[in-house]
Amino acid sequence: MTRMVGGAFLDLDRVVYGDLRAGELVNNLQVLYLDGTFWRPSSPQTTATVPARGMAIQSAASGAIVEVMTYGIASNSAWALASGLVAFLGSGGNVIASAPTGSGNWVQRLGVALYVNVIDFRPEIRPVQVGE
C-alpha cells in the first residue's frame, strides 16, 4: 500500500509501527539511528550515531511515538540525487548524493536513487570511516 505523507510517497508495506519514541524533534523523511529511542545522526556522523536504521515517515516531537520505515521506496521533492547511483547519509539525517569526505566521518550507503527525488531505501548496517 502506498500513502502520501507530508508531501512524500511511501511504500507502507515496509513500515515498522512500534512504540518507539523520538529523542528529539524529528522531521518527515529524516534518517534516524536507534539506541532504544530514535535520534537524528550528528554532524558529522560519529560512531555513536551510525548506523542509521530507518527513515521517519512523519514528523514527531521529542518524546512522541514516531513511525519509521526500515526499508522501501520514499520520495522527497527536496532531494537532488543522481538516478541509478547510491545515496548516502548526510549530516542531521539528510539523504545526500555524495559520500561525506571529511576526515573521520562515517559513510553509510542508504540505497539507490531511482530518480532525482526517489530512493529505494535499504540502509547498510556497516558504515565505513573516512581515513584521517
Side-chain angles (χ1 to χ4, degrees), residues 97-111:
S98 299
T101 58
S103 179
N105 279 359
W106 287 86
V107 177
Q108 183 179 7
R109 295 176 183 181
L110 296 179

Side-chain angles (χ1 to χ4, degrees), residues 15-49:
V15 172
V16 172
Y17 295 98
D19 291 335
L20 296 173
R21 298 186 180 274
E24 61 188 327
L25 174 66
V26 170
N27 294 315
N28 184 37
L29 300 177
Q30 278 187 314
V31 179
L32 306 170
Y33 77 95
L34 177 65
D35 69 356
T37 302
F38 281 108
W39 302 87
R40 293 174 293 173
S42 64
S43 173
Q45 294 80 19
T46 66
T47 56
T49 64

Side-chain angles (χ1 to χ4, degrees), residues 46-128:
T46 66
T47 56
T49 64
V50 293
R53 298 290 187 176
M55 180 181 289
I57 66 163
Q58 65 182 20
S59 295
S62 179
I65 292 174
V66 61
E67 292 181 79
V68 175
M69 176 174 73
T70 56
Y71 67 97
I73 308 297
S75 170
N76 183 344
S77 61
W79 290 336
L81 306 173
S83 296
L85 298 180
V86 174
F88 298 91
L89 175 63
S91 297
N94 293 310
V95 177
I96 58 175
S98 299
T101 58
S103 179
N105 279 359
W106 287 86
V107 177
Q108 183 179 7
R109 295 176 183 181
L110 296 179
V112 174
L114 303 177
Y115 303 101
V116 295
N117 61 353
V118 178
I119 184 176
D120 182 2
F121 182 73
R122 297 178 188 283
E124 290 185 348
I125 60 169
R126 292 190 176 151
V128 296

